[in-house]
Amino acid sequence: MIKDLPKNIVKDIAIAVALEKESVESKIWYVYLINLKNVPIENILITSKGYGEKDGVQVKTSTLRHMIPIVDGNSYKLIEPIDEQTFGLNNEYWLSYYIGKDIYDKKYIFLPESIVEMNFTKLPVINKVGVMIL
């Protein structure tokens, strides 16, 4: 039965962590959904969680769920703020969305210590610096 389901491949959809503001005391980071397609995506559901090991202890954050009605083509939406203290964990975002009547889903994982300046790039559409998974 599962072999009969269509293999809807996610393309041109990214999750990005962007540096919003930086001061002497702190940095403010946000996670965005970027639609690089020319068509809108609809009924978007995103779950986010962090997990991994910190100081030799297994750590797990709460699972958050986000619903976004629509993201137009070549645009973006804010998913959530992210605390810099979680950058040492796996930060997982599971995305599901529709284009017409077809459903798509993909898991994006920012590995521990991957959100670092060395990996920064200019994020398309948002025009900020950050780390992106396409």
Side-chain angles (χ1 to χ4, degrees):
M1 278 232 270
I2 199 159
K3 65 179 173 45
D4 297 326
L5 293 174
K7 291 185 170 89
N8 295 337
I9 307 296
V10 173
K11 293 181 184 173
D12 300 326
I13 303 291
I15 301 285
V17 177
L19 179 59
E20 288 294 313
K21 295 180 190 169
E22 186 173 10
S23 68
V24 176
E25 330 53 77
S26 67
K27 294 179 181 177
I28 298 174
W29 300 84
Y30 287 143
V31 182
Y32 291 97
L33 170 65
I34 304 173
N35 180 4
L36 298 169
K37 295 178 175 297
N38 292 323
V39 297
I41 60 175
E42 299 176 314
N43 297 323
I44 303 144
L45 178 63
I46 302 166
T47 60
S48 64
K49 65 181 177 181
Y51 56 90
E53 191 173 303
K54 190 167 188 170
D55 301 325
V57 178
Q58 288 296 318
V59 178
K60 201 177 198 183
T61 68
S62 299
T63 299
L64 301 176
R65 290 168 183 81
H66 309 276
M67 176 65 185
I68 302 171
I70 190 167
V71 177
D72 291 325
N74 294 305
S75 68
Y76 65 94
K77 291 285 185 185
L78 174 67
I79 298 173
E80 65 184 10
I82 187 169
D83 190 325
E84 202 170 11
Q85 293 181 3
T86 66
F87 291 174
L89 302 174
N90 293 297
N91 286 284
E92 178 183 295
Y93 294 86
W94 192 302
L95 167 71
S96 295
Y97 64 91
Y98 283 87
I99 296 177
K101 293 183 180 183
D102 295 325
I103 190 168
Y104 298 80
D105 74 320
K106 183 175 179 178
K107 187 187 301 185
Y108 298 80
I109 301 175
F110 292 91
L111 297 174
E113 308 304 334
S114 63
I115 305 170
V116 293
E117 194 169 336
M118 180 176 70
N119 295 334
F120 280 7
T121 185
K122 179 137 184 182
L123 301 172
V125 184
I126 299 177
N127 294 321
K128 296 180 184 193
V129 295
V131 178
M132 178 174 77
I133 300 175
L134 210 108

